[in-house]
Amino acid sequence: MAPMNSHPGEQAADDPVRLIAVRESPLSLDEVFRALGDEAAGGIALFVGTVRNHDGGSDVSGLGYSCHPSVETEMRSIAEKVAVEFPVRALAAVHRVGDLAIGDLAVVVGVSCAHRGDAFDACRRLIDDIKHQVPIWKHQTFSDGTDEWVGAC
């Protein structure tokens, strides 16, 4: 029997970055899930970030995201690095900008790999690196009338 990693399906795909986008319109879980389809993938991990109604002990009434024009280039760079570090079959990341309401989808990222552990690990790296490195800023409005800007994502 051949070692597990000798099968082409165990390796990273040649071009796994399938979807990178920043949008003002509502995000679609189905679109991201479809982008992750790959016959060699045995595990798909998705992360969905939503707008919550609180932050730091205060009630949030709404928020807006804004971004630098380089945002998709930065997201693609992060995606490509994740795809090099993990045996990714397919990868997708979509972030919303503009004014969002409580419960709206703010970000959807996903990764498919031959095995679930790699998919979980790669998906976590993808969202963490996007959150910390991509030039997207959040402007939160609180129910008491105050507001604050929060750095990248």
Side-chain angles (χ1 to χ4, degrees):
M1 180 176 209
M4 255 182 36
N5 63 0
S6 68
H7 188 279
E10 297 288 329
Q11 308 302 315
D14 288 336
D15 187 16
V17 180
R18 305 268 178 88
L19 173 64
I20 299 293
V22 175
R23 302 202 174 122
E24 290 187 24
S25 57
L27 305 182
S28 166
L29 288 171
D30 289 338
E31 176 190 28
V32 173
F33 185 74
R34 280 191 308 272
L36 300 173
D38 188 286
E39 291 182 353
I44 295 175
L46 289 168
F47 173 80
V48 180
T50 59
V51 178
R52 63 180 180 263
N53 68 357
H54 64 94
D55 190 36
S58 297
D59 293 331
V60 172
S61 57
L63 59 79
Y65 285 102
S66 59
C67 66
H68 188 272
S70 69
V71 68
E72 286 186 5
T73 301
E74 296 295 326
M75 286 174 66
R76 180 167 295 280
S77 175
I78 288 167
E80 289 169 350
K81 288 176 185 172
V82 169
V84 167
E85 187 173 341
F86 297 91
V88 173
R89 299 300 306 171
L91 181 149
V94 183
H95 204 296
R96 185 141 176 226
V97 293
D99 293 329
L100 281 74
I102 304 303
D104 283 351
L105 303 183
V107 61
V108 180
V109 303
V111 175
S112 63
C113 295
H115 302 282
R116 72 178 178 274
D118 289 330
F120 281 127
D121 293 344
C123 189
R124 182 174 188 113
R125 173 65 55 80
L126 179 61
I127 188 59
D128 286 351
D129 288 356
I130 287 172
K131 181 175 175 73
H132 293 106
Q133 297 174 32
V134 173
I136 297 174
W137 303 278
K138 178 170 61 173
H139 183 222
Q140 296 187 117
T141 304
F142 299 102
S143 60
D144 66 3
T146 61
D147 67 337
E148 75 174 350
W149 283 92
V150 181
C153 287

